[in-house]
Amino acid sequence: MTAELVRGQNHTLPRTRLEIRVSAGSPVVAGATLGDERGTVRGAEWIAHPGSPRLPGLEVSRQAAADHRLAVDLDALPEAVHRVTVLLALPTGAGRPVRFGVVAAPFVAVTGLDGTEIATFTLTGLDAESAVAALELYRRQGAWKVRAVGQGYAAGLAAMLADQGLDRAAELAASIHEAVASGLARSVTPPPPRTPDGERVPHPTGPATPPPAATAPGATASGGAAPASTAPGSTAGGPIDYAHPRRRTSASPPPPPTAPPADPGQPARPVAGDATGWSMDERLYNQIWGMFEDLARAVAAYRSAVDFAGSRMDQETDRALSDPRNRIGGAGDRAREEARARCEDLTARARAALDRDLAQLTAEAAVVEPALPAPYAGWDNPVWHGHRVPMEMPMALRVGDLHLPERTDLRIPLLVRLPLERGIWVDAGRTASEAAASADGDALRRLAMENAVALAARLLAVHPADTFSVHVIDPAGSAAGALAPLTASGVLAAPPAAGPGGVSTVLAQLTRRVDLVQMAVRAGAADSLPPDLDTGEQLLIVNDFPHGFDDRAVTQLRYLADEGPSVGVHLMMVADREDARAYGPVLDPLWRFLLRVTPVADDHLADPWVGHAWTYEPSRVPEGSRVLERVLELVAAARRAGGR
């Protein structure tokens, strides 16, 4: 029977191999400290956190998430350890909740490896606290117990660590938040939630909540994009209003189209636009989010079932072999075979359920993909051949695809909201992926620049002709070949800037624009802007950073990355982070803030909600196709017709 604890109450633990499951209404950082007989943490090596997630007998999550599973083996803890304290903290960053009082009360459960709950504790009554000691496992007279603590700290993680006797607690807290920020920078935005009836809740269609240091899919993140921004259903100030910001009516969006009836006993036939929304584009956007969520949950359920089957087999085998009578003769072998058979049966049933879900999602993707508008479509979609420069900006833009290893041919479009909420970093460095390992450095740089050009072409094509401009910095002229589609079509605001002088000129021009627009906005005097100032959206592509950049140029670039998106100046970096190693931690905030994509398939986008590592693949122009050039010719013609 599960013990439902209140603050201060304890409960005896019947076993020593445990899971501690955390559920929260917003991503939280989960960690644990080890304490001696007096409860003192002897040093940083006695703390498990995202930057150092494993200790003997203890493992925690590597990033912030709304759900966590911490693994604890009390018998494997060092002999000097008498207490394990589970800590929760809100991650720092713009747009994130700053106190537990504005998010759902965290729920913590101590379970066996089979998922059976031993004790639970809901951390109610939190308000200004941003960190909390949730519960502790402690040893008393040779037996382990759990106690509900719920001690919050308004001064945050540093104060909580200092309270446990840790020296230099502020430095360690800063390093933990740094590790979390690095994890969020490669994470996808959490999928939209569901209503109590199981319906997908669409993302808000107006200006999105400011993203944290980074995000990723379908988003803006995914996510921004794929991607994590503020959790759906909550912001730093309270619940999100999902009402359409452009409509002055309380009416709900029209219902999605009804699927044709399926044969009895068969799943419903998928329909493109099977989600709520005021337009077909909005319904498709929300449907893609729903597909992402469904795939994430189906795979998470399968992996959890497989883990459970393996854990139960180990337990049954250990239990059988712990009886000395089973070690003689064939009893032990039979017990092992029976445990293995049960494990294989559970795994097969889990795989069958996954295959059923994957088949349904594959059928839905087959219907949705051909129906996508150009901003959401791949370059191989025929919609591009009939594309015309639009009169208004779309909701989102496709920047690639996401997939999981359980079904690599099931691709979910990675959509970022427009206008861009943060810049993009096309990583030209060598990553750990198989595709990157098989390519040489020059090939990766060329592919990275080609990906950047394709993304810039998409942005130009989906914006009205007079509202989006592209600038290029190519200090050494090394990207002339990849840039040819942009330069030949005449869609660039100016020829690519080369050399230190060109770098300085372009950065000064865009920095001036950011300064002037910010001052005009603050003063409420937008009409006072100089007549020669282009108030349209601006994209700066930077190749081969930091070549050609001095310290002043680097500072200006960081300023554009931080302040530019809010006033329509966006950054696209094509760079290998190793080339900028000499700048040390000065550039860490820059890399974290940008949405990282790769020129080849790479599983670097983390999902903080279910822990998946999503593989990103760029959207490539088909071999031999001239669709990119044709689209850019249309953009150039529209600009000439408009007098630009």
Side-chain angles (χ1 to χ4, degrees), residues 369 377-385 398 458 619-622 627:
E369 190 70 39
W379 286 113
D380 56 350
N381 192 311
V383 71
W384 282 107
H385 296 286
R398 186 174 187 158
R458 277 178 170 271
S619 183
R620 299 192 184 284
V621 177
V627 63

Side-chain angles (χ1 to χ4, degrees), residues 347-597:
T347 302
R349 282 191 281 167
R351 185 70 212 195
L354 175 65
D355 289 342
R356 182 186 64 245
D357 293 339
L358 292 179
Q360 182 70 8
L361 283 169
T362 301
E364 186 175 8
V367 172
V368 169
E369 190 70 39
L372 295 178
Y376 303 175
W379 286 113
D380 56 350
N381 192 311
V383 71
W384 282 107
H385 296 286
H387 179 67
R388 294 292 181 269
V389 176
M391 299 299 293
E392 61 180 17
M393 180 181 64
M395 284 184 61
L397 183 80
R398 186 174 187 158
V399 297
D401 297 322
L402 299 173
H403 66 82
L404 292 171
E406 281 77 5
R407 185 69 179 267
T408 57
D409 61 336
L410 176 54
R411 308 297 175 90
I412 306 296
L414 172 57
L415 303 179
V416 298
R417 288 295 297 270
L418 295 179
L420 294 172
E421 296 176 338
R422 58 182 179 143
I424 297 175
W425 166 29
V426 185
D427 190 352
R430 188 178 300 281
T431 64
S433 71
E434 182 179 344
S438 62
D440 60 41
D442 291 340
L444 284 174
R445 292 177 185 275
R446 175 179 55 79
L447 290 172
M449 197 62 205
E450 290 176 354
N451 191 21
V453 169
L455 291 172
R458 277 178 170 271
L459 286 163
L460 285 164
V462 303
H463 282 81
D466 59 347
T467 64
F468 197 88
S469 300
V470 177
H471 309 262
V472 177
I473 290 178
D474 186 21
S478 59
L483 289 168
L486 296 177
T487 54
S489 61
V491 296
L492 293 178
V503 172
S504 176
T505 299
V506 173
L507 291 177
Q509 173 189 343
L510 293 177
T511 300
R512 171 179 175 268
R513 182 195 179 283
V514 171
D515 289 339
L516 289 175
V517 174
Q518 281 188 338
M519 287 189 290
V521 170
R522 290 173 187 146
D527 294 340
S528 64
L529 288 169
D532 64 334
L533 188 73
D534 184 358
T535 57
E537 300 282 309
Q538 311 283 316
L539 175 70
L540 173 61
I541 302 176
V542 178
N543 182 47
D544 267 356
F545 177 80
H547 302 299
F549 282 72
D550 56 20
D551 289 345
R552 184 170 186 272
V554 169
T555 301
Q556 288 177 312
L557 192 70
R558 286 190 55 189
Y559 176 73
L560 291 178
D562 292 340
E563 303 294 334
S566 64
V567 291
V569 176
H570 312 287
L571 188 61
M572 185 181 294
M573 301 278 291
V574 182
D576 180 356
R577 187 171 182 174
E578 289 299 311
D579 292 343
R581 179 185 291 273
Y583 287 94
V586 172
L587 290 178
D588 286 350
L590 173 67
W591 304 118
R592 285 200 308 270
F593 185 77
L594 301 175
L595 168 64
R596 177 178 172 239
V597 298

Side-chain angles (χ1 to χ4, degrees), residues 169-258:
E171 294 181 18
L172 180 58
S175 70
I176 292 173
H177 284 304
E178 180 80 10
V180 172
S182 299
L184 291 174
R186 50 183 292 272
S187 70
V188 299
T189 295
R194 291 177 181 265
T195 67
D197 297 329
E199 294 295 323
R200 296 166 180 164
V201 175
H203 281 261
T205 53
T209 304
T215 329
T220 103
S222 17
S229 61
T230 303
S234 66
T235 67
I240 290 176
D241 180 7
Y242 283 103
H244 197 291
R246 299 189 185 95
R247 295 189 182 266
R248 302 292 184 262
T249 174
S250 60
S252 299
T258 303

